[in-house]
Amino acid sequence: MRIYEVGPRDGLQNEAALLPTDKKVELILALADAGLEKVEVTSFVSPRWIPPLADAPELCARLPKREHTTYSALVPNQKGLENLLKTDLRECAIFISASETHNRKNINRGIDEAAELFESVVAAALEAGLRVRAYLSMVWGCPWEGDVPVDRVVELTRRLLGMGCYEVSLGDTVGYGTPAQTLHILRHLFEAGIEPGRLAMHMHDTRGAAMANCLAGLEAGITTFDAAVGGLGGCPYARGASGNLATEDLVYLLHGMGVATGIDLEKLIDAAELAQALVGRPLPGRYFQARLAERRG
Ligand code: HMG
Ligand code: MG
């Protein structure tokens, strides 16, 4: 079972203020020290589009290595990859949407044009020795286009894996999914010959169903789940997107099922406390808030 922590990227990309780089580094180290093996730390996107992550180069330069933790960052194009390659990061992630409208709003390109562009970005990243992950957004539906055809999801997932991405993280960007729908989508992907080990689930908790969807995915054979410390997160180019499933809630549930994660839940609560102090407002994570109240007596 693998948890892919996206809070420092997916969470902090939504913050209005540019938060201090040193504090972000502190948060990332707290997550690594809690035992998270994968942490998405930032994005090498246009600082004009995502001002809160404009400090990506500086952040990566200041980030101490942790042996058991791999850091990754988003890249939207060759320029982002070139900038990432100036750092010590050994992994990157590309991102495309299954919704044409969302893709245009998010990266200013149609799906086909973006997919073509990513072919060369992924090839260059692999050539440079990086591992490449891919995100596919709006898999469970889109606020502008409504239902997203599952055949398009299958086709794009195949295409992303065909480029050489090691895994496709299926995004429920605005939290529409229900467990029955999750099983339906996964069944189509499996029937198309895509193995569960090549997929991850990236569920936003906008409608409170992220955990139920992950449980459905777990039962279907998915073993990698994205989550954000304290439930930080959203997508600035997707109306209505709220935070990701909270990492502590997922870890608590998995430990309760006897599933080992290698994560120290108490240290994760310390990290969530840092995240909460950093953004300056209560975070939505349920386990986090309950444990914090217990700690404060
Ligand atoms: P564009 O305006 O079409 O870019 O944006 P362009 O290629 O025309 O270039 C315009 C200017 O941007 C140029 O500068 C470029 O150099 C610069 P100028 O010559 O005008 O001074 N530029 C860059 N600068 C720094 N880094 C770069 C870069 N690229 C161009 N990489 C672009 C296209 C893709 C750049 C823009 O749309 C962008 O950065 N979008 C990022 C949006 C984003 O980060 N969204 C959130 C992440 S996705 C998400 O949250 C969903 C996910 O969580 C999964 C889920 O929940 O479903 C992953
Ligand atoms: Mg997201």
Side-chain angles (χ1 to χ4, degrees), residues 199-239:
L199 298 171
M201 286 173 60
H202 176 104
M203 310 306 286
H204 284 266
D205 202 24
T206 322
R207 289 167 185 76
M211 184 72 88
N213 282 306
C214 286
L215 268 181
L218 183 72
E219 281 181 17
I222 301 294
T223 52
T224 300
F225 297 93
D226 298 359
V229 62
L232 276 172
C235 176
Y237 295 103
R239 196 173 61 203

Side-chain angles (χ1 to χ4, degrees), residues 211 245-254 284-288:
M211 184 72 88
L245 174 62
T247 316
E248 323 74 54
D249 290 1
L250 180 59
V251 170
Y252 175 68
L253 190 105
L254 291 172
R286 304 292 288 271
Y287 181 88
F288 165 55

Side-chain angles (χ1 to χ4, degrees), residues 9-10 13 44-50 74 76-77 79-80 83 95 106-109 135 137-138 171 173 202 204 234-237:
R9 191 280 301 170
D10 204 337
Q13 75 185 9
F44 287 85
V45 293
S46 161
R48 255 186 259 155
W49 283 63
I50 308 284
L74 293 193
N77 53 18
K79 180 161 182 139
N83 289 336
F95 53 106
N106 202 32
I107 53 174
N108 210 18
R109 306 277 180 277
Y135 286 98
S137 291
M138 299 292 181
T173 318
H202 176 104
H204 284 266
C235 176
Y237 295 103

Side-chain angles (χ1 to χ4, degrees), residues 12-272:
L12 300 187
Q13 75 185 9
N14 285 288
E15 293 307 311
L18 185 55
L19 302 169
T21 306
D22 282 341
K23 291 284 176 198
K24 293 184 185 177
V25 168
E26 205 181 315
L27 172 62
I28 294 162
L29 289 180
L31 291 165
D33 293 341
L36 283 152
E37 289 178 9
K38 295 271 190 174
V39 183
E40 195 166 75
V41 295
T42 187
S43 299
F44 287 85
V45 293
S46 161
R48 255 186 259 155
W49 283 63
I50 308 284
L53 302 185
D55 62 346
E58 193 186 347
L59 174 96
C60 292
R62 287 196 213 169
L63 198 54
K65 288 199 173 113
R66 286 290 187 265
E67 207 170 307
H68 65 278
T69 305
T70 302
Y71 302 134
S72 180
L74 293 193
V75 294
N77 53 18
Q78 287 287 356
K79 180 161 182 139
L81 177 63
E82 279 163 28
N83 289 336
L84 180 140
L85 286 172
K86 293 177 193 153
T87 73
D88 288 338
L89 263 55
R90 307 309 305 149
E91 182 163 330
C92 68
I94 59 164
F95 53 106
I96 196 166
S97 185
S99 148
E100 183 73 19
T101 312
H102 177 236
N103 205 61
R104 287 188 187 278
K105 286 181 185 286
N106 202 32
I107 53 174
N108 210 18
R109 306 277 180 277
I111 295 176
D112 283 342
E113 191 191 345
E116 245 171 68
L117 205 136
F118 281 130
E119 298 269 1
S120 56
V121 174
V122 174
L126 295 173
E127 176 75 27
L130 300 186
R131 293 187 87 219
V132 186
R133 183 179 216 232
Y135 286 98
L136 183 58
S137 291
M138 299 292 181
V139 167
W140 278 259
C142 167
W144 297 284
E145 294 186 6
D147 290 344
V148 169
V150 72
D151 289 347
R152 195 188 300 161
V153 170
V154 170
E155 182 201 317
L156 283 166
T157 302
R158 268 217 191 103
R159 186 151 183 197
L160 292 165
L161 291 173
M163 290 179 199
C165 298
Y166 71 88
E167 162 176 291
V168 175
S169 182
L170 305 168
D172 186 8
T173 318
V174 290
Y176 282 141
T178 59
Q181 192 191 0
T182 297
L183 292 176
H184 173 76
I185 293 166
L186 291 177
R187 194 169 47 243
H188 275 262
L189 287 158
F190 299 161
E191 280 171 10
I194 296 161
E195 294 184 2
R198 307 297 300 277
L199 298 171
M201 286 173 60
H202 176 104
M203 310 306 286
H204 284 266
D205 202 24
T206 322
R207 289 167 185 76
M211 184 72 88
N213 282 306
C214 286
L215 268 181
L218 183 72
E219 281 181 17
I222 301 294
T223 52
T224 300
F225 297 93
D226 298 359
V229 62
L232 276 172
C235 176
Y237 295 103
R239 196 173 61 203
S242 74
N244 293 84
L245 174 62
T247 316
E248 323 74 54
D249 290 1
L250 180 59
V251 170
Y252 175 68
L253 190 105
L254 291 172
H255 287 182
M257 293 166 74
V259 177
T261 63
I263 293 166
D264 181 327
L265 198 44
E266 283 299 294
K267 285 190 180 169
L268 190 55
I269 297 303
D270 297 339

